[in-house]
């Protein structure tokens, strides 16, 4: 493992990485058994590219020539898949990671890769329904529209990119990028990770449905009552295409987009949406579908990266954290930028703690002559965010649960509680915004939609529509539960163990039969277990698993 450490540090200090990405910061935390690499920096500083170089280097070290474990190629193929679905063009970067990821590569004692695990953090789902002036939606939408074959265009009901409301018409192309080629590269990478052609087709059908949802339009319903503000769908044919792609009933989907069910006094009432509520329900469905699809992709990638020989990992591991960079978009910094910059604030605190405080204490303990380096302690800014009960995040959570609260009252609460904080400021002119003094500088955040984005609630009516899909893939997306998957793994392991013992018993009986015992006596003495009991256990466990997943 020490050889891997030294080679890794040599790779990080090489001129190729330093010249191309001088702003990405590397911090390597070592223990006797494991290495953790944190890659930080501003948006566009080269963190994702540096991560890709790291993974290429680590897998090349592991392969020992042509005798790799096979997991190495899967690790490299997972990168383009996650980037296509989780990266997008922003005002600062043409390939900005809109989610954070941690990749842990597990090694055997001989230095060969044994397996890997990917964890994702904070996918920016609001980008699916709206983007800034110089920004684009996620790459995969443009790859699909540029690279799909004529047959795929017909079966998936694809339109030209400019016809979609969810795609920014001013930024449909990306300079120096052949998106038709990127789509073929994506499909090849997905195949390497284990996505069959049928899985890819179903996945692209969900993507097409997400895009078409943005084209659903509403208009006020004509009524004799002047106070009736309910809406109807202007183009039900689009809803018909979506229902065909998702395999749900068109009437049920139309109802879910225009009304909701409310339980009151033991009765179920149907309440019609107003125009803003209908638009919010439509966008919520699109974000729910894409978010569930991304979680499913990560789950499939991890399944492909599992240790194939099923042995317990006893070796070392190298973890690489590639997280979104610090952002300041000037006039428009929303809830997403607040979360991203808060995460970077924590990374800076971690960096200060280990590089300055702990290292300098170690120097003093060893008696090394050393002049302490002064650094900015940002723990006060973290307290502004996370202290209880007056931190920004605690106040936000409280007002999300308060029925009469608005984003304006949220801002008033921020201003009154933190007016004395050295890390908090009010803008000079009156506006619905506040200023945070981060380690990297001041950033102004707008409170518009902050409560709504923090809640990120999925309406139960829409979830029910998707759960009633005739396509198992769609039901799997909205019903995917890590706890249920874990329980199923335990159940499956139990029956594997049971039948392994049973097979061993049968083999043992045959061996005893060969030793001159009477076959009839052997059968009566070693009776096979009651098959009806096993069948009953399988049936009961399957029913319980189904109930847990639905619940």
């Amino acid at each position: 493992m020490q050889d891997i450490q030294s080679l890794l540090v040599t790779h990080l200090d090489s001129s190729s990485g330093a010249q191309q990405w001088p702003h990405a910061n590397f911090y390597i935390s070592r223990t006797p058994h494991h290495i953790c690499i944190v890659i930080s920096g501003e948006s566009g500083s080269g963190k994702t590219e540096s991560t890709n170089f790291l993974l290429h280097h680590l897998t090349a070290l592991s392969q020992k020539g042509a005798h790799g474990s096979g997991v190495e190629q899967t690790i490299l193929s997972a990168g383009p898949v996650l980037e296509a679905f989780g990266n997008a063009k922003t005002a600062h970067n043409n390939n900005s990671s809109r989610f954070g990821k941690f990749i842990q590569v597990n090694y055997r004692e001989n230095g060969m890769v044994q397996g890997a695990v990917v964890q994702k953090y904070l996918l920016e789902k609001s980008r699916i329904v709206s983007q800034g002036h110089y920004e684009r939606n996620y790459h995969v939408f443009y790859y699909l529209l540029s690279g799909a074959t004529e047959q795929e265009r017909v079966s998936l009901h694809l339109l030209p990119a400019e016809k979609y409301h969810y795609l920014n018409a001013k930024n449909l192309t990306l300079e120096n990028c052949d998106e038709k080629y990127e789509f073929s590269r994506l499909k090849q990478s997905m195949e390497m990770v284990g996505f069959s052609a049928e899985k890819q087709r179903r996945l692209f059908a969900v993507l097409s449905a997400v895009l078409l949802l943005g084209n659903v339009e509403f208009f006020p319903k004509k009524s004799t009552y002047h106070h009736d503000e309910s809406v109807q769908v202007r183009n039900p044919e689009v809803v018909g295409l979506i229902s065909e792609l998702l395999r749900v009933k068109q009437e049920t989907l139309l109802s879910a987009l225009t009304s909701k069910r409310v339980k009151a006094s033991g009765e179920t009432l149907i309440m019609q949406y107003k125009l803003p509520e209908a638009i919010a329900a439509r966008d919520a469905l699109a974000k729910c579908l894409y978010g569930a699809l991304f979680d499913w992709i990560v789950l499939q990638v991890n399944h492909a990266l599992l240790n194939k020989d099923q042995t317990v990992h006893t070796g070392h591991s190298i973890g690489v954290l590639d997280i979104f960079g610090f952002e300041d978009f000037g006039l428009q910094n929303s809830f997403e930028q607040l979360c991203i910059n808060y995460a970077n604030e924590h990374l800076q605190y971690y960096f200060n703690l280990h590089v300055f405080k702990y290292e300098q204490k170690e120097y003093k303990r060893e008696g090394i002559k050393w002049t302490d380096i002064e650094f900015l302690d940002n723990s006060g800014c973290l307290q502004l965010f996370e202290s209880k009960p007056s931190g920004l995040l605690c106040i936000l959570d409280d007002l999300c649960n308060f029925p009469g609260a608005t984003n304006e009252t949220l801002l008033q609460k921020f201003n009154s509680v933190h007016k004395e904080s050295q890390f908090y400021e009010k803008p000079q002119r009156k506006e619905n915004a506040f200023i945070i003094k981060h380690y990297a500088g001041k950033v102004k955040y707008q409170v518009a939609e902050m409560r709504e984005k923090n809640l990120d609630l999925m309406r139960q009516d829409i979830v029910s529509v998707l759960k009633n899909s005739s396509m198992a893939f769609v039901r799997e997306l909205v019903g995917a539960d890590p706890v249920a998957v874990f329980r199923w793994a335990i159940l499956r392991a139990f029956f594997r163990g049971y039948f392994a013992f049973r097979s061993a018993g049968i083999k043992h009986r045959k061996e005893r039969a060969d030793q001159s015992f009477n076959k009839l006596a052997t059968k009566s003495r070693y009776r096979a277990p009651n098959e009806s009991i096993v069948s009953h256990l399988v049936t009961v466990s399957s029913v319980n698993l189904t109930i847990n997943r639905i619940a």
Side-chain angles (χ1 to χ4, degrees):
M1 196 63 179
Q2 295 300 322
D3 293 337
I4 293 179
Q5 287 183 353
S6 60
L7 285 170
L8 181 58
V9 174
T10 302
H11 173 74
L12 294 181
D13 293 336
S14 65
S15 59
S16 62
Q19 290 177 0
Q20 294 183 31
W21 299 285
H23 304 296
N25 302 318
F26 297 90
Y27 175 66
I28 305 177
S29 175
R30 296 186 182 89
T31 69
H33 302 289
H34 308 285
I35 299 177
C36 177
I37 305 170
V38 179
I39 306 178
S40 64
E42 294 182 6
S43 180
S45 59
K47 299 181 297 300
T48 299
E49 293 295 332
S50 299
T51 301
N52 293 336
F53 271 103
L54 273 171
L55 294 176
H56 276 82
H57 188 71
L58 293 175
T59 53
L61 287 177
S62 167
Q63 287 179 359
K64 306 292 184 182
H67 303 288
S69 64
V71 183
E72 295 90 348
Q73 188 58 45
T74 306
I75 294 174
L76 298 179
S77 299
V81 177
L82 295 176
E83 285 185 29
F85 285 86
N87 288 23
K89 179 189 184 304
T90 66
H92 294 166
N93 185 5
N94 284 347
N95 189 34
S96 177
S97 297
R98 309 316 300 167
F99 74 107
K101 65 177 178 288
F102 176 75
I103 304 174
Q104 178 180 310
V105 184
N106 298 324
Y107 289 85
R108 296 187 178 92
E109 295 294 340
N110 62 359
M112 300 283 286
V113 171
Q114 187 178 17
V117 178
V118 178
Q119 297 182 36
K120 68 96 178 174
Y121 309 95
L122 202 67
L123 177 70
E124 188 184 36
K125 289 187 287 187
S126 63
R127 178 169 297 274
I128 300 157
V129 299
S130 64
Q131 307 90 40
H133 185 66
Y134 297 103
E135 300 189 353
R136 299 205 317 170
N137 211 320
Y138 288 104
H139 292 326
V140 66
F141 292 119
Y142 306 93
Y143 295 170
L144 174 62
L145 296 178
S146 297
T149 63
E150 191 60 34
Q151 182 180 359
E152 288 173 330
R153 291 182 182 279
V154 173
S155 62
L156 298 177
H157 305 295
L158 297 180
L159 304 174
E162 62 271 12
K163 298 290 185 180
Y164 289 107
H165 176 71
Y166 280 165
L167 302 184
N168 192 338
K170 297 181 180 179
N171 289 278
L172 294 176
T173 59
L174 196 62
E175 295 181 0
N176 302 321
C177 179
D178 185 353
E179 290 176 328
K180 186 174 183 179
Y181 165 76
E182 292 295 335
F183 184 65
S184 62
R185 177 170 171 260
L186 170 62
K187 295 177 73 173
Q188 183 179 7
S189 298
M190 293 175 72
E191 185 177 351
M192 293 294 296
V193 177
F195 291 83
S196 64
E198 181 60 23
K199 282 186 178 180
Q200 292 183 36
R201 187 192 66 79
R202 294 173 181 174
L203 187 150
F204 295 143
V206 174
L207 289 180
S208 178
V210 170
L211 287 176
L212 286 173
L213 275 168
N215 291 358
V216 177
E217 300 177 357
F218 304 96
F219 70 99
K221 186 187 297 183
K222 293 183 179 181
S223 175
T224 56
Y225 301 98
H226 65 278
H227 61 275
D228 187 2
E229 300 179 15
S230 59
V231 297
Q232 284 182 317
V233 173
R234 188 186 301 276
N235 46 358
E237 67 279 2
V238 176
V239 180
L241 296 178
I242 297 170
S243 61
E244 179 185 336
L245 291 168
L246 300 179
R247 303 281 183 86
V248 298
K249 293 182 179 179
Q250 182 175 350
E251 298 78 10
T252 309
L253 182 57
L254 276 171
S255 177
L257 290 173
T258 55
S259 63
K260 63 180 177 180
R261 296 176 181 271
V262 179
K263 290 186 177 181
S265 303
E267 296 182 357
T268 301
L269 305 177
I270 298 179
M271 300 183 63
Q272 298 295 320
Y273 284 140
K274 299 177 183 178
L275 183 58
E277 295 172 334
I279 294 174
R282 177 199 67 189
D283 293 345
L285 175 56
K287 292 188 287 186
C288 169
L289 270 175
Y290 194 86
L293 185 64
F294 193 84
D295 290 340
W296 180 84
I297 290 171
V298 173
L299 188 66
Q300 294 297 309
V301 168
N302 280 327
H303 183 267
L305 295 175
L306 281 176
N307 176 18
K308 301 302 181 183
D309 56 15
Q310 300 298 320
T311 57
V312 179
H313 174 242
T314 57
H316 308 309
S317 66
I318 297 180
V320 183
L321 177 64
D322 172 23
I323 205 161
F324 17 62
F326 189 90
E327 294 180 346
D328 181 7
F329 289 107
L331 298 177
Q332 185 61 40
N333 290 295
S334 58
F335 179 68
E336 289 79 15
Q337 278 68 52
L338 181 72
C339 295
I340 287 172
N341 293 344
Y342 168 59
N344 278 273
E345 197 76 49
H346 253 295
L347 284 181
Q348 183 66 22
Y349 175 77
Y350 181 84
F351 183 84
N352 291 342
L353 194 66
H354 286 264
V355 172
F356 293 111
K357 289 185 178 180
Y358 290 169
E359 290 293 332
Q360 292 183 150
K361 283 183 180 180
E362 184 71 15
Y363 293 161
K364 290 180 180 180
R365 189 183 65 81
E366 295 181 359
I368 299 175
K369 293 182 179 180
W370 179 260
T371 302
D372 286 349
I373 298 175
E374 297 294 331
F375 62 93
L376 179 64
D377 186 2
N378 66 334
S379 57
C381 187
L382 289 177
Q383 288 297 313
L384 172 67
F385 276 94
E386 59 193 31
S387 63
K388 296 181 179 180
S390 58
L392 296 178
L393 298 180
C394 290
I395 294 175
L396 176 59
D397 288 340
D398 289 341
L399 291 191
C400 284
N401 296 323
F402 192 74
T406 63
N407 290 309
E408 288 71 24
T409 58
L410 173 67
L411 179 60
Q412 293 173 7
K413 186 75 171 179
F414 283 170
N415 291 337
S416 62
V417 173
H418 297 291
K419 58 183 177 182
E420 303 296 333
S421 174
Q422 61 175 322
F423 296 96
Y424 184 91
E425 282 186 9
K426 294 171 59 177
Q428 293 182 351
R429 59 190 181 90
K430 188 176 180 180
E431 55 182 311
N432 290 331
F434 59 94
I435 298 173
I436 301 294
K437 294 182 180 178
H438 292 280
Y439 75 95
K442 294 182 180 180
V443 179
K444 182 192 294 184
Y445 300 99
Q446 283 67 36
V447 295
E449 298 184 355
M450 195 163 282
R451 290 178 63 256
E452 294 79 2
K453 290 180 178 180
N454 185 52
L455 284 170
D456 196 21
L457 294 177
M458 188 62 219
R459 291 165 172 79
Q460 191 59 41
D461 291 348
I462 294 179
V463 174
S464 299
V465 171
L466 298 178
K467 283 186 176 181
N468 289 324
S469 170
S470 61
M471 187 192 301
F473 178 71
V474 175
R475 297 197 304 271
E476 183 180 348
L477 289 182
V478 294
D481 181 3
V483 176
V485 172
F486 178 69
R487 288 174 178 171
W488 169 244
I490 294 176
L491 185 65
R492 184 173 54 187
F494 166 76
F495 284 110
R496 280 180 177 175
Y498 168 78
F499 286 111
F501 277 111
R502 183 169 177 241
S503 299
I506 294 173
K507 182 178 179 181
H508 177 68
R509 288 197 299 274
K510 289 182 178 179
E511 291 176 353
R512 294 288 298 269
D514 293 339
Q515 298 175 1
S516 73
F517 281 94
N518 185 283
K519 293 184 179 181
L520 182 60
T522 304
K523 289 182 180 180
S524 62
R525 185 179 304 172
Y526 298 97
R527 279 200 302 259
N530 192 334
E531 297 295 339
S532 63
I533 295 177
V534 176
S535 177
H536 177 70
L537 282 174
V538 173
T539 304
V540 171
S541 301
S542 300
V543 171
N544 289 336
L545 176 65
T546 303
I547 292 174
N548 288 332
R549 292 189 62 147
I550 293 175

